[in-house]
Amino acid sequence: MAAGATRPRPVASSVPAAEAPPLPELSEERKVDLAELLRAPQPDDAATVELLLNPTPDSAGAVTAMMETARAGPPRYDCFISTGVAPAFAFSAFRHRNAEGGFQYDVRLTPTESSRVGTNSFCAQLKCSADCTRYTLCDDPSNFYSYPRELGAVFVGGAGLGNRISVLVPRVLPSGAAAQFRVLRPEDGIISRFLAGQAREHIMTLSGMWTSKEGGTVELTLGGEGTAASQRRTVFRATQSSSTLSLQYSSPLSCFQAFCIALSLVHHAQHRRRPSSEPRRAYGSAGRPPPR
């Protein structure tokens, strides 16, 4: 476990979303407008990646974003940040079958896939388990740290969870040093280490309830059991409307983490095994039907 230079995150665990105060809002004179920063010319891809993968600064307050389903071409989801006057494009995620017969999403900085090395060659991944209950957030292997690393994990439903959602994210210290999950072997992954009871002091957790209702809302709360209610807060919210998910997130989540959480919800709704009596179209499943 090594330390990198990103912003701090507090430790958290499961609390009901209804008990948490709303996402933070800041006065306009204090707010850092991430959409405006994205629209400004960046010196290189690394600056954009840093802006989108590092935790959201406290000075951004609650960031408003949206995830839209592409209506043409290969299966694709686009993420836009809209904290200012107009939205700014952040990511596109492209769904592919993996070697195990499941799925993965390639997350890129452009709405088209490119194999070119150099400009816009960034490619992170969201890896989905075959049963659609576990999702792993993976940085682009060609990253600043020069080793494969994981940026979080999502559990949606599955054995022992029911309708609960749990999110694991590397912990960040007040100094700004972040826990780095270098994954050189399968047992190095954030899910493997958490389930083995290892490195939990380097992991923060968020939790909430999953819903399959059209127009339903999912909230994830930061703050553990025994934490005063005044210290608990909601850090992620997703609400479905047709083929769009309206998102809000705040520190300590990054744009990439918020987008991957939303992708996990949509993929779980579309591809999970469900009783034959339950309709196939569910939360986040608007748009093209998934392949069978």
Side-chain angles (χ1 to χ4, degrees):
M1 189 69 60
T6 50
R7 291 178 54 82
R9 304 178 188 184
V11 181
S13 65
S14 172
V15 295
E19 297 181 9
L23 286 156
E25 292 291 351
L26 299 178
S27 60
E28 289 302 318
E29 59 269 21
R30 289 188 56 206
K31 182 173 287 188
V32 172
D33 190 336
L34 297 187
E36 189 62 34
L37 290 176
L38 277 177
R39 284 193 294 269
Q42 300 294 328
D44 51 37
D45 283 354
T48 302
V49 170
E50 182 179 355
L51 182 63
L52 295 173
L53 266 67
N54 280 350
T56 301
D58 292 333
S59 55
V63 178
T64 301
M66 68 183 75
M67 187 178 86
E68 295 184 340
T69 304
R71 296 187 176 277
R76 188 185 90 236
Y77 298 90
D78 300 326
C79 179
F80 299 87
I81 295 178
S82 54
T83 54
V85 177
F89 174 82
F91 294 112
S92 283
F94 301 84
R95 190 176 71 224
H96 297 285
R97 286 279 186 182
N98 59 29
E100 291 74 37
F103 293 94
Q104 68 183 41
Y105 291 83
D106 291 346
V107 182
R108 296 185 177 271
L109 300 177
T110 61
T112 57
E113 289 197 277
S114 172
S115 59
R116 291 182 300 147
V117 175
T119 302
N120 295 326
S121 61
F122 171 85
C123 184
Q125 289 185 331
L126 177 68
K127 296 181 178 180
C128 316
S129 66
D131 65 357
C132 305
T133 62
R134 297 182 183 182
Y135 302 84
T136 306
L137 289 60
C138 303
D139 191 7
D140 184 343
S142 302
N143 58 53
F144 172 81
Y145 299 94
S146 300
Y147 51 76
R149 64 175 189 150
E150 293 181 358
L151 301 177
V154 181
F155 295 81
V156 187
L161 273 181
N163 287 336
R164 295 203 68 81
I165 305 166
S166 290
V167 177
L168 310 178
V169 183
R171 186 181 180 185
V172 182
L173 302 176
S175 65
Q180 300 294 311
F181 283 82
R182 307 179 183 187
V183 184
L184 303 178
R185 305 166 299 170
E187 57 265 33
D188 295 334
I190 191 169
I191 291 179
S192 296
R193 300 197 71 179
F194 183 82
L195 294 180
Q198 302 171 356
R200 292 197 174 188
E201 70 274 20
H202 299 294
I203 298 173
M204 55 166 282
T205 64
L206 289 73
S207 67
M209 300 297 292
W210 180 80
T211 175
S212 61
K213 295 180 180 179
E214 178 77 21
T217 295
V218 170
E219 291 188 347
L220 297 177
T221 301
L222 182 68
E225 294 179 2
T227 303
S230 60
Q231 296 179 309
R232 300 171 184 167
R233 62 186 177 95
T234 300
V235 297
F236 175 88
R237 180 180 295 121
T239 303
Q240 180 193 9
S241 176
S242 184
S243 60
T244 299
L245 280 184
S246 298
L247 306 176
Q248 279 189 305
Y249 67 93
S250 64
S251 172
L253 291 177
S254 69
C255 180
F256 175 74
Q257 289 167 332
F259 183 40
C260 285
I261 293 170
L263 280 172
S264 302
L265 294 172
V266 169
H267 187 86
H268 180 75
Q270 291 182 340
H271 298 277
R272 69 190 175 97
R273 298 184 183 93
R274 56 176 60 82
S276 57
S277 59
E278 183 180 341
R280 186 170 182 81
R281 298 177 66 84
Y283 181 89
S285 62
R288 75 180 73 226
R292 295 181 181 272

